[in-house]
Amino acid sequence: MRFIGKLGNVCIYDDSQNEECPDFEFHAGSSGGYGEFTFVYGPSAGGLLESVQFKIRTSGEQILEIHADPYFKVRHISLSGGIDDVALKVERINAMFSASHSIAFLLSVERSLDEEPDYETQMGRIVELELERVRNHLYVLHKLVDTGALGVASYQLQAMQEATNRVIGEACGHRYFFGVNSLNHVECNFEKVDLRYLKRFNSFLNDLLENRILIDRFQNNGKIDQDWLIGPTARASGRKYDARYDSGSLPYKDLGFSPVIERSPDVFGRFLVRGEEIMQSVDIIQEAMKKWKRKERKEVKVKGTGEGMSRLESPSGDMVYRVMIDGSKVKASFLPPSKANLLFFLKSVIGTIFTDFPFNWESFGIWISEIGVDTG
Amino acid sequence: MNWFIRGLKKGIQTEREPRGTPQWGSALKVNKEFKDCPTGATQGGWDAGKCVFCRRCFPDLSPTGDHRMGKVSRTEAKFSRSFYLYPIDVGTCGGCNAELKLIASPQYDMTRFGIFFTNTPRHADGVVVMGVITEGMREVLRETLEAVPSPKVVVLMGACAISGGIIGEKVDVDADAVVPGCPPSPNTILDVLIKVKGGKGW
Ligand code: SF4
Ligand code: SF4
């Protein structure tokens, strides 16, 4: 049984749920010695893409204690109402994981209605999720390499990220899948998906791995090796945790999927897993596209009452949605991967030095937008 | 392989003209009256700043493929050679942040137009505000705007900042330019930024 995280008051496991889940605080470490001082980083700072604040206690070099406040930019987003209206908001919780949020939401609605989506739709959803993974992993790698001041490689990764955005935009009309997903339907034309620009990604990654300066900053930085881990963080530590493998939400098994794992529970391992997963996702996309077929959208009648939950693998780990349906109205709540990853990040920071901080931060692929949401 | 050689081998990736605008990141044309817009963007024509590009109005409204949707109310020729921007996220979904960052990618290369990012508002010529205004960021935004030396330019980017979109409250500041979109594509962003510094746009 593996622990996924806390949704509302409930502890979510891969195969069950349990009321009475303890609260988690965004805090790690302890301090109080002579000569220590606290400095504040954020909420708005050049090195941070999103607004978040860290209070870091140190005696000079080492980080002894850290608090994070991801709620400076908390948005109040009500996730209750008609399904289409809620879907419009769900896709804007975190643009970088918009397909993951939307598809997890729709899967849980379909479950609560006992509606099985068509096989072709499920394959279309897999293509979306893997394109999203490719884009996000390229972004994380770009940020890591950029932090290491490797200019050429960093720009090349950013060029690949932009190319992926264009592939998505061309196929689906929007670069972040907004307006694309609905019950039993994906409004994309995947015949237009051409990923030839990633053909030499393997040799690109190998060249990066020869760079000693980068590897020195990655290895043994941000170590975390514990049973509660999710996504690339878990897989870097040798754990075969992956909702594509252990949730059965989408037919990944028909594509011969098995998770990528490494045995390096640090920034280096997380970098490697993401790099390898880019190549794996390209293969999954090619296979899923063979089983996908474009279909016209058909109206799905929503009526009755019911409850449904779904779990899928976002680029940074398990994403869980739970919905309740009453008549044509839905009420949704969710557990984003960034919440757990922020806790892991804080724990892994203790004992590292501030120079290592940005590398470690980028390696977790955390999006504050999906933590700072109050659904009311 | 040496990274310098690898860079040379890739050749020039920077584009001479705008490419890659997605359909639902371009201006909409009104073909027929549409009343059920979730943001009220279709009252009396089409309001780019309110539109979240949800497609509900299709085919009564349809995308034109034209990314030039921005509005510039004041240009600042002082920044024609170099224009340093400080981005601030007051309540985004991350989409605006990600697209703004991509104007630095090789395809767009903002530096050839003299546009740069800076890590501190004290060194900035302009501020790009993204997201709906949130309680925690209200004061941070005020302090940031105060910290930027004059003359300064304020740009509101994305439906959230311009009108609140479907998420919340708009950012209530005097803006010199707005960049519509949800999120705006890098082409729309570049077009506005180049115009703000007195250029012809992109
Ligand atoms: S795309 Fe959506 S938000 Fe924009 S005008 Fe049409 S209905 Fe309104
Ligand atoms: S305008 Fe759209 S993309 Fe930008 S922050 Fe708002 S919801 Fe996200």
Side-chain angles (χ1 to χ4, degrees), chain A residues 44 46 49 51 72-74 84-85 92 95 142 158-159 162 165-166 172-176 178 203 207 369, chain B residues 3 6 15 24 52 55-56 86 89 91-93 97 99 101-102 105-108 119 134 136-137 182:
Chain A
S44 177
L49 193 78
S51 295
F72 267 84
K73 64 167 209 170
V74 67
D84 288 348
D85 291 336
R92 285 165 178 79
H142 153 70
Q158 205 179 26
E162 170 61 21
N165 273 1
R166 289 185 185 186
C172 305
H174 193 280
R175 289 154 61 100
Y176 295 85
F178 290 2
S203 87
D207 283 358
S369 58
Chain B
W3 283 103
R6 200 179 240 288
E15 292 160 353
W24 293 94
V52 293
R55 316 180 189 200
R56 281 195 194 171
Y86 184 79
D89 161 9
T92 70
C93 71
N97 322 38
E99 291 295 81
K101 201 170 180 305
L102 280 170
S105 71
Q107 286 93 332
Y108 302 100
N119 279 345
T134 50
M137 290 305 291
C182 184

